[in-house]
Amino acid sequence: MAIGDTLKITSLDEGRQLPFWRTPIALLAVMAFAMPVAFATWSALLNNFVIEVASFDGSDIGWLHTVREIPGFLAIGVIFLLLFIREQVLGLVSLILLGVATALTAQFPSLGGLLFVTLISSIGFHYYETVNQSLQLQWIEKDRAPQVLGWLLSVGSGATLLAYLLIVVTWRTYDLSYDLVYWVSGGATALLALVCFLIYPQFESPNPQRKQMVLRRRYWLYYALQFMSGARRQIFVVFAGFMMVERYGFEVHHITSLYMVTLLVNIVVAPMLGSVVARFGERLALIVEYSGLAAVFVLYAGLYIFDWGFVFAAVLYVVNHIFFALALAIKTYFQKIADPADIAPTAAVAFTINHIAAVFLPAGLGYLWLTSPTAVFVAAAAMACISLGLSCLVPRHPKEGNETVLTRGAAQHAE
């Protein structure tokens, strides 16, 4: 018997008839809100904390992010855990772990200590994200998925904005410490997850999920898109914010204000992008995303050659996040081509694939950063171009049996 089976089990159809605040979509929204409270605060303070308190250089931050991505690489372990614990319970337990580890971050102001606590928080974050993606694709109807995923992105952005706003308003005014802010944000996430565990029923998806690893040849394009997405995103996550602090001297309230502008834009834009994906399809959305990201990374590289200034760098940061929001198209593409019973195990496999390059790139590029930050962003632009080529293989109307344009061409040739 899996952990959670003793709790009240409610089918999705029954769950959708409950008051809105207790529906499956409402639970996904609360979880989408809870996670960024801890993770966004950790991210906002991280670059300043490691430079001011732990005296990190580019190599150290590269190693920190490499360790942070190890649990993502091992996300396939979720499949094993699902033999003993329900997905919904696992997602909430992972949120609690993320919150507790975030609360303890400032207690370890050294490279070794931060590597340890980051590993623990990352297990919570990546296992939550793996399960959350699976639950979203199981609980949201295909015809509504792009719009609902867009709204969930907006909820997450709203939570992140709230966290950043509180930091900006209170950090200098009340001379807050890293210790206090990490305790409050991490504790809030853990508390919200515990409340969700207590007040929501266990929702039962109509399609039982396979409890073993699933690797299917027809999902190859989805795997490839996930691999390149993880490689490319890591360069931005690790080095874009670090550049703003190291090169332009951004303080905590400066970098947090930049994040706030980004989130305000995403709150408005994410639901619109969901509607765009629903109207024009995953193929066009991904082509636009990767074309834009390639251009943005080239311009990032140009900052170190032409020194266009911190305002231009900040604009690029915001634009980059807008393009990243279109990544929801990868989720809906898989939802359309997948066997419904494959969603949970494939979410775990995809997260592992997404983090293969992420485990090695931050540390390796951290050393490259010491000699040529420009080369780091050129590498990111090249990866975006590879993703662009892969996105052209996504069919206009993906479905089982029509996973890529090559599949369609082969079928027509056979006829």
Side-chain angles (χ1 to χ4, degrees):
M1 178 179 294
I3 297 174
D5 282 350
T6 57
L7 303 176
K8 181 181 178 182
I9 306 298
T10 302
S11 71
L12 279 184
D13 288 338
E14 292 172 336
R16 290 166 182 151
Q17 304 307 313
L18 294 172
F20 179 76
W21 67 272
R22 295 196 74 207
T23 62
I25 299 300
L27 174 56
L28 290 175
V30 175
M31 292 167 68
F33 182 91
M35 187 279 288
V37 173
F39 183 71
T41 302
W42 179 85
S43 300
L45 300 184
L46 179 66
N47 287 312
N48 292 87
F49 179 71
V50 299
I51 290 175
E52 296 171 11
V53 179
S55 302
F56 273 28
D57 59 20
S59 174
D60 294 331
I61 195 68
W63 276 110
L64 180 70
H65 283 281
T66 288
V67 169
R68 185 176 70 85
E69 295 303 338
I70 290 174
F73 180 69
L74 300 176
I76 199 169
V78 167
I79 300 173
F80 172 76
L81 292 176
L82 292 180
L83 294 172
F84 309 100
I85 183 171
R86 296 179 59 84
E87 276 191 274
Q88 184 174 328
V89 175
L90 178 57
L92 294 174
V93 169
S94 298
L95 269 183
I96 292 173
L97 184 62
L98 168 64
V100 172
T102 300
L104 295 173
T105 296
Q107 309 304 311
F108 299 88
S110 65
L111 177 59
L114 284 172
L115 292 180
F116 171 75
V117 75
T118 297
L119 179 65
I120 301 303
S121 67
S122 183
I123 291 172
F125 171 78
H126 284 99
Y127 276 41
Y128 161 76
E129 282 292 315
T130 301
V131 172
N132 184 52
Q133 177 173 303
S134 172
L135 294 179
Q136 287 177 348
L137 298 184
Q138 292 178 65
W139 292 359
I140 304 172
E141 302 95 325
K142 289 183 181 180
D143 58 345
R144 298 181 58 214
Q147 296 95 326
V148 174
L149 289 175
W151 280 109
L152 290 175
L153 281 173
S154 184
V155 169
S157 295
T160 308
L161 176 63
L162 176 62
Y164 290 165
L165 181 62
L166 289 174
I167 292 173
V168 169
V169 171
T170 62
W171 183 262
R172 299 188 71 180
T173 303
Y174 299 101
D175 192 25
L176 298 182
S177 66
Y178 290 106
D179 188 27
L180 176 64
V181 176
Y182 278 133
W183 271 111
V184 172
S185 61
T189 292
L191 181 61
L192 279 172
L194 181 60
V195 169
C196 286
F197 181 80
L198 296 175
I199 69 174
Y200 283 94
Q202 291 292 304
F203 298 113
E204 187 70 54
S205 301
N207 300 290
Q209 297 296 293
R210 294 186 173 90
K211 300 299 193 297
Q212 67 270 6
M213 186 174 70
V214 173
L215 279 171
R216 300 198 189 281
R217 182 179 300 176
R218 66 188 187 90
Y219 297 159
W220 75 266
L221 180 56
Y222 173 66
Y223 299 147
L225 288 168
Q226 285 284 2
F227 176 82
M228 294 308 305
S229 175
R232 184 187 63 256
R233 182 179 291 270
Q234 279 309 302
I235 297 178
F236 175 77
V237 169
V238 176
F239 296 107
F242 190 78
M243 174 192 68
M244 303 301 289
V245 176
E246 183 184 65
R247 181 172 178 80
Y248 296 111
F250 274 38
E251 298 180 14
V252 166
H253 59 288
H254 294 142
I255 199 73
T256 308
S257 296
L258 173 61
Y259 292 165
M260 286 174 59
V261 172
T262 301
L263 290 162
L264 281 171
V265 172
N266 274 351
I267 289 172
V268 176
V269 170
M272 297 170 58
L273 294 179
S275 297
V276 167
V277 174
R279 179 178 177 84
F280 297 103
E282 289 79 9
R283 174 189 171 92
L284 180 59
L286 292 173
I287 288 174
V288 170
E289 177 190 2
Y290 299 137
S291 299
L293 288 176
V296 167
F297 284 126
V298 168
L299 292 174
Y300 263 127
L303 283 169
Y304 280 87
I305 300 174
F306 303 106
D307 192 19
W308 292 314
F310 72 90
V311 174
F312 189 79
V315 170
L316 288 180
Y317 191 93
V318 175
V319 172
N320 208 326
H321 271 278
I322 294 175
F323 285 121
F324 275 150
L326 282 170
L328 66 87
I330 298 180
K331 291 184 181 180
T332 58
Y333 163 66
F334 175 68
Q335 186 186 40
K336 290 179 178 179
I337 68 171
D339 179 334
D342 287 349
I343 289 177
T346 304
V349 170
F351 241 73
T352 293
I353 292 173
N354 185 276
H355 288 77
I356 291 174
V359 170
F360 303 105
L361 276 178
L365 293 179
Y367 290 111
L368 178 60
W369 181 269
L370 298 177
T371 57
S372 178
T374 298
V376 172
F377 290 120
V378 169
M383 293 174 190
C385 289
I386 294 173
S387 296
L388 175 60
L390 292 171
S391 68
C392 293
L393 299 178
V394 175
R396 176 65 180 86
H397 300 288
K399 61 181 181 180
E400 290 190 62
N402 187 33
E403 293 85 4
T404 74
V405 295
L406 302 177
T407 305
R408 181 182 61 197
Q412 291 173 347
H413 181 73
E415 294 175 358

